[in-house]
Amino acid sequence: MTLCDFHVHTNFCDGKDFPEDIVKEAIRLGMKRLGFSDHSFTEFDGDFCMTFDGTQRYKAEIRRLKEKYAGKIEILCGTEQDYYSDMPVNDYDYVIGSVHYVIIDGKYICVDHTPEIFAELIRMCGDDPYAVAEKYFALVSDVVRKTDADIIGHFDLITKFNEDGKFFDEDNPRYVMAWKSAADSLLKTGKPFEINTGAISRGWRKSPYPSEKILRYIADNNGTVILSSDSHSKENLMFKFSECEELVRKLGLRITEL
């Protein structure tokens, strides 16, 4: 079983736990490598991201923990860089590039905050969920360039609230064309797509991002993946990684590490 997890949030952003408590849990679980990846500061995202000043405190704390726990676990300091964040990323160990928002009428609308907000987003796009998907995946296609990402974050985050097709049909040709176009662009970068179990641990989905159909497409086109819990509490480190590894084997995917 993979004994590393690189998508982990702390109370420097919207996570629940102090970083050191997460480190202690990771050691208890026998993890070999632990990567912190708190949300990068964005001016319009005060509820979820690190503050501007908090970013420096976060980096200092992770550096402290690296030194304190050297020899027990390897700790990396990363960030989840939102597409619309302009924070520098050159001094992180790695970057997860993610799209959480689309802009409608000059407003940043979050695609994964609540089902109600997602329903309003569809309404703002003329009651056309596929127009939302097209806007979202157009941004995703550019996320590696824009964020200088080492890992492609939750590729189809737009499906977070779409269990059992609640909002749209994931087999609709417009939706498929949108995600395939984005996947083709990102496959050319050679960066791994994360298999992200965060929505399962929070009760929104029964399967990870990306969907199995998308993962099969990635496998068929020689893409690679990395397992990620997107944990916001220490209890969810490496959440359902054993099941993900079974899926990886079934699809013939290749797991990579940082």
Side-chain angles (χ1 to χ4, degrees), residues 110-217:
C110 187
V111 303
D112 69 319
H113 189 189
T114 67
E116 292 75 20
I117 290 175
F118 189 73
E120 177 63 12
L121 173 58
I122 293 173
R123 188 198 65 75
M124 293 173 72
C125 287
D127 291 320
D128 183 355
Y130 305 107
V132 176
E134 288 159 355
K135 290 178 183 292
Y136 169 77
F137 281 115
L139 298 173
V140 172
S141 70
D142 188 45
V143 74
V144 168
R145 181 202 65 82
K146 180 65 167 59
T147 66
D148 198 21
D150 301 291
I151 299 171
I152 299 161
H154 38 54
F155 176 79
D156 54 348
L157 181 66
I158 193 173
T159 62
K160 178 175 179 177
F161 306 119
N162 199 50
E163 194 73 17
D164 299 321
K166 179 178 179 180
F167 287 103
F168 58 90
D169 178 5
E170 293 178 35
D171 291 323
N172 181 279
R174 284 176 65 193
Y175 179 75
V176 173
M177 185 178 297
W179 73 250
K180 280 189 175 179
S181 178
D184 289 342
S185 295
L186 294 174
L187 283 161
K188 293 174 184 176
T189 71
K191 303 297 183 181
F193 295 73
E194 65 172 5
I195 297 182
N196 181 313
T197 61
I200 308 175
S201 63
R202 291 191 283 279
W204 291 111
R205 287 174 60 100
K206 297 174 184 175
S207 58
Y209 310 111
S211 70
E212 185 170 332
K213 287 183 179 179
I214 295 174
L215 286 173
R216 189 177 297 280
Y217 187 83

Side-chain angles (χ1 to χ4, degrees), residues 45-257:
D45 183 21
D47 290 338
F48 303 104
C49 69
M50 293 186 283
T51 64
F52 185 84
D53 293 337
T55 301
Q56 300 308 315
R57 295 195 301 273
Y58 163 76
K59 293 176 183 178
E61 175 63 0
I62 305 309
R63 284 196 301 269
R64 183 186 75 82
L65 295 173
K66 280 187 182 188
E67 295 176 5
K68 180 174 179 179
Y69 291 95
K72 295 182 178 179
I73 188 170
E74 181 185 356
I75 296 173
L76 288 80
C77 183
T79 188
E80 184 174 7
Q81 182 84 347
D82 185 79
Y83 187 89
Y84 289 112
S85 174
D86 293 321
M87 292 293 283
V89 297
N90 56 294
D91 57 347
Y92 286 108
D93 294 323
Y94 67 97
V95 175
I96 300 172
S98 297
V99 175
H100 297 94
Y101 302 88
V102 295
I103 299 177
I104 307 293
D105 297 332
K107 298 178 180 178
Y108 294 90
I109 311 298
C110 187
V111 303
D112 69 319
H113 189 189
T114 67
E116 292 75 20
I117 290 175
F118 189 73
E120 177 63 12
L121 173 58
I122 293 173
R123 188 198 65 75
M124 293 173 72
C125 287
D127 291 320
D128 183 355
Y130 305 107
V132 176
E134 288 159 355
K135 290 178 183 292
Y136 169 77
F137 281 115
L139 298 173
V140 172
S141 70
D142 188 45
V143 74
V144 168
R145 181 202 65 82
K146 180 65 167 59
T147 66
D148 198 21
D150 301 291
I151 299 171
I152 299 161
H154 38 54
F155 176 79
D156 54 348
L157 181 66
I158 193 173
T159 62
K160 178 175 179 177
F161 306 119
N162 199 50
E163 194 73 17
D164 299 321
K166 179 178 179 180
F167 287 103
F168 58 90
D169 178 5
E170 293 178 35
D171 291 323
N172 181 279
R174 284 176 65 193
Y175 179 75
V176 173
M177 185 178 297
W179 73 250
K180 280 189 175 179
S181 178
D184 289 342
S185 295
L186 294 174
L187 283 161
K188 293 174 184 176
T189 71
K191 303 297 183 181
F193 295 73
E194 65 172 5
I195 297 182
N196 181 313
T197 61
I200 308 175
S201 63
R202 291 191 283 279
W204 291 111
R205 287 174 60 100
K206 297 174 184 175
S207 58
Y209 310 111
S211 70
E212 185 170 332
K213 287 183 179 179
I214 295 174
L215 286 173
R216 189 177 297 280
Y217 187 83
I218 292 168
D220 290 345
N221 287 277
N222 299 311
T224 60
V225 295
I226 194 165
L227 304 189
S228 126
S229 68
D230 199 350
S231 65
H232 286 66
S233 65
K234 63 182 185 292
E235 292 81 9
N236 290 327
L237 288 171
M238 300 191 300
F239 187 82
K240 288 192 175 294
F241 275 18
S242 58
E243 290 92 330
C244 289
E245 287 178 336
E246 290 178 11
L247 179 61
V248 164
R249 285 191 290 271
K250 182 178 90 169
L251 297 177
L253 280 160
R254 291 181 293 127
I255 295 178
T256 188
E257 283 193 23

